[in-house]
Amino acid sequence: MTKTRRFGPVFKGLSTVTLAAMLAVGCSSKPDAGTQAMNKGSGDVPEGYTTAIPDELMTPDSVETSAGTFNFFDGMPDAATAEASFDNLKFIRAYETFLTMMPAASIEMLRHGHAEMGVDGHTKVMLMSPLNSKPLFLTGNTDTVYGSTFFNLKETGPLVIEVPAGLGPGTINDAYFRFVADTGAPGPDKGKGGKYLILGPDDKEPENTDGYFVFRSPTYSNWLIMRAFLDEEGKPDKAVANYKQGVRLYPLAQKDNPPEMTFVEGGDAVYNTVHANNFEFFNELNRVIQREPIDFLDPEIRGLASAIGMEKGKPFNPSVADKKLLEEAVQVGVAYVRSDMVTPRGEDALIYEGNPQWFSAFAGGSYEWLKDGGKGGRNLDARNNFFWAYTVNTPAMVLEMVGVGSQYAIAGTDSEGNYLDGSKTYKLTIDKNPPAKDFWSIVVYDPQTRSQLQTGQPFPAKNSQRNKDMVANDDGSVDVYFGPKAPAGQEANWIETVPGKGWFMAFRLYGPLKPWFDQSWKLNNIEQVK
């Protein structure tokens, strides 16, 4: 016999008809859908009602939840319950704002870090030739020569970007880290160089755009990040010269008299480009919301921010109590993204089926993090994982572009599934003939900052083009060692780690070839050897 849940202090007794119906249901092991629908709402008539009320509509006088005990009088909360429920809602809104708006805060701190280095306008480009472990820069690469700048289309109007031939992949991302355009080999110039015309959200397209690759950004502030490769001797000189001689940014209105460019070396300076992991995160985000056009975010996302007091054109000034609550929301969000950082839950993050060690920064193979081509909506775990640890959003890192662009594999655990420990020694064997037209590299990162691991080595990395002294095995494979000390005779193949600290790594292929995509060539697992 089924049992009816009771809400409130007094219920009328069961009628004969109701009891008979309940016994009939109890005798049937599998009531059909019609019977279930007919019986829905049957049962006791609570005091104060004239008909039976479905149980699922009623709220008990006291409810235990993870947010506390909620007390009600006939469904109406007491003052303490109302206050606690609103605080919990604000916490949820702050938590979701942290995760959902992380891309905006991340790129804002990239902009801020550039400004700290004096790169505060479109006529200035920061060169990292190459980037070492001093700057805090999310999973920055030691093995390419970056050219990086920000521009504000509200200040410039339509902006021309001249890209010389011979540069590697370049990308423009907007103030919410959305993809705007690729330049270089994966872009429309196909590595031959060309002129790009970038229009802002308020700009009309000029009547004559012949000779330009035209793209529009939905935001005023945008990041241009370009890459060039080291030469055959592993030196950056040719790449730096190409930047200085060929890269130009100027308003279209100044095309007949472009301003001079300034290039600032930032590869070995001390500065920060990583967003905060406490209440300061919301101040970073508020700068973006105040600067950008109101519709650079849709109303749903804007509603998250406004629910915690952040709205364009209004001061963001939370109370002491709200600051504490918002701080806690960030810490809970940080716990989640750190939990997913090197052990992602999604099977679609794994590069090799059944092997949890190697995973992609772009889980699901979409630079927009769309699940099942969009039928499953946005893969929020995948997107959060990416923007917590990585930068540069481009399809060139996802699509199968044989011989063009780049591919990445991330690992933060050993073959036994344990976090990588800087006190221990590990080995990764790179089998012969890695499928890279240009080169392969390994860079080691700090799990706290998600930037390069700071050790006695300025470049915590190995690169098949720069580190030609690496010793190969008889079968053509290469063993790379990680640990606080180099194994005897393996100094050339060793990347230093720090006792008492963890680490994770990225394996990169530049100009990836078919064996990477069809997996006829695979990475081995990282093995602890000591």
Side-chain angles (χ1 to χ4, degrees):
M1 180 171 137
T2 60
K3 185 176 182 180
T4 302
R5 289 176 293 166
R6 301 180 185 275
F7 300 103
V10 179
F11 284 80
K12 295 181 179 178
L14 293 176
S15 69
T16 303
V17 174
T18 302
L19 180 60
M22 292 178 66
L23 286 170
V25 171
C27 293
S28 173
S29 59
K30 291 184 179 180
D32 60 31
T35 301
Q36 289 177 323
M38 182 175 63
N39 288 336
K40 190 173 182 64
S42 65
D44 291 339
V45 177
E47 185 174 356
Y49 295 88
T50 60
T51 64
I53 304 299
D55 288 351
E56 59 267 25
L57 300 188
M58 309 294 279
T59 294
D61 291 343
S62 181
V63 181
E64 296 290 339
T65 78
S66 60
T69 301
F70 294 155
N71 298 307
F72 301 87
F73 165 68
D74 199 22
M76 295 181 290
D78 62 18
T81 294
E83 183 178 3
S85 65
F86 284 129
D87 283 347
N88 187 57
L89 179 62
K90 187 172 290 185
F91 176 90
I92 292 170
R93 296 286 190 257
Y95 176 82
E96 289 296 337
T97 297
F98 172 72
L99 296 178
T100 304
M101 302 287 277
M102 193 186 302
S106 183
I107 204 164
E108 169 62 14
M109 282 307 293
L110 274 163
R111 186 202 64 78
H112 182 75
H114 281 63
E116 279 188 332
M117 289 293 295
V119 181
D120 54 3
H122 63 276
T123 62
K124 300 174 182 178
V125 174
M126 182 151 64
L127 298 180
M128 291 161 270
S129 56
L131 179 71
N132 69 19
S133 61
K134 289 182 181 178
L136 297 178
F137 202 108
L138 290 179
T139 50
N141 192 355
T142 68
D143 303 312
T144 57
V145 181
Y146 290 116
S148 181
T149 190
F150 279 79
F151 53 89
N152 189 322
L153 294 165
K154 188 173 185 179
E155 298 173 353
T156 65
L159 185 79
V160 178
I161 301 173
E162 293 186 13
V163 177
L167 285 185
T171 300
I172 300 170
N173 285 154
D174 80 353
Y176 193 42
F177 242 130
R178 289 172 294 211
F179 173 73
V180 176
D182 274 330
T183 68
D189 70 271
K190 305 299 182 184
K192 298 178 181 178
K195 295 181 179 180
Y196 289 75
L197 181 61
I198 311 301
L199 306 177
D202 307 326
D203 295 327
K204 293 182 179 179
E205 184 169 339
E207 292 182 3
N208 183 7
T209 58
D210 292 345
Y212 296 98
F213 303 113
V214 181
F215 294 90
R216 184 180 294 276
S217 170
T219 65
Y220 299 133
S221 180
N222 291 263
W223 182 34
L224 169 64
I225 175 70
M226 301 166 285
R227 307 170 191 81
F229 296 148
L230 304 172
D231 63 21
E232 294 180 355
E233 297 180 359
K235 296 181 179 180
D237 302 25
K238 291 181 180 178
V240 170
N242 198 14
Y243 277 120
K244 292 183 176 180
Q245 294 169 10
V247 171
R248 298 288 181 270
L249 287 86
Y250 51 86
L252 180 64
Q254 298 179 7
K255 64 183 178 64
D256 295 328
N257 187 27
E260 292 187 7
M261 298 294 295
T262 301
F263 294 88
V264 178
E265 176 55 52
D268 61 354
V270 177
Y271 57 97
N272 176 40
T273 70
V274 181
H275 70 74
N277 299 324
N278 57 17
F279 174 80
E280 183 58 26
F281 170 92
F282 295 107
N283 289 326
E284 296 165 357
L285 175 59
N286 187 53
R287 293 201 297 265
V288 184
I289 289 176
Q290 300 306 326
R291 183 184 61 241
E292 299 301 333
I294 193 168
D295 57 357
F296 90 103
L297 299 171
D298 66 39
E300 194 81 15
I301 296 177
R302 291 203 306 271
L304 286 175
S306 66
I308 60 171
M310 194 180 302
E311 185 176 339
K312 185 175 178 65
K314 295 183 178 180
F316 175 59
N317 189 27
S319 67
V320 172
D322 281 351
K323 281 185 178 180
K324 182 178 179 181
L325 186 146
L326 267 56
E327 168 78 23
E328 182 181 351
V330 171
Q331 297 311 320
V332 175
V334 166
Y336 151 62
V337 286
R338 285 195 180 280
S339 298
D340 208 45
M341 183 172 69
V342 298
T343 53
R345 293 182 300 166
E347 290 289 327
D348 60 353
L350 303 184
I351 291 177
Y352 307 121
E353 186 176 356
N355 181 353
Q357 180 171 100
W358 294 104
F359 61 93
S360 169
F362 288 91
S366 168
Y367 74 96
E368 296 174 296
W369 298 277
L370 296 178
K371 191 172 184 178
D372 297 330
K375 290 184 291 184
R378 203 174 305 280
N379 187 333
L380 299 178
D381 284 349
R383 188 202 51 191
N384 296 338
N385 189 312
F386 181 89
F387 286 110
W388 171 252
Y390 312 103
T391 63
V392 189
N393 179 14
T394 168
M397 293 183 184
V398 178
L399 301 177
E400 183 173 330
M401 303 171 69
V402 176
V404 177
S406 53
Q407 287 288 309
Y408 299 73
I410 316 296
T413 58
D414 64 16
S415 58
E416 301 298 319
N418 301 313
Y419 289 139
L420 298 170
D421 184 340
S423 305
K424 300 173 181 178
T425 300
Y426 302 86
K427 180 179 73 172
L428 171 63
T429 299
I430 309 296
D431 287 341
K432 66 178 180 180
N433 301 322
K437 178 175 69 68
D438 299 311
F439 63 90
W440 61 265
S441 81
I442 293 171
V443 184
V444 169
Y445 298 103
D446 183 329
Q448 284 281 11
T449 65
R450 292 93 71 209
S451 303
Q452 290 179 34
L453 187 67
Q454 295 183 343
T455 70
Q457 296 174 329
F459 302 110
K462 290 298 174 186
N463 175 316
S464 63
Q465 190 163 346
R466 183 178 62 201
N467 302 112
K468 296 185 182 297
D469 60 341
M470 283 191 293
V471 179
N473 300 316
D474 292 341
D475 64 359
S477 65
V478 174
D479 293 330
V480 179
Y481 290 87
F482 311 83
K485 294 183 180 179
Q490 298 294 336
E491 289 78 7
N493 294 43
W494 167 65
I495 299 176
E496 185 179 1
T497 61
V498 181
K501 284 194 63 60
W503 58 276
F504 69 103
M505 62 157 287
F507 177 83
R508 290 174 169 90
L509 291 168
Y510 283 90
L513 301 176
K514 194 68 176 178
W516 173 259
F517 296 106
D518 65 20
Q519 297 192 358
S520 57
W521 186 96
K522 290 185 178 182
L523 284 163
N524 296 298
N525 282 348
I526 300 170
E527 304 280 350
Q528 183 182 336
V529 296
K530 186 178 178 182

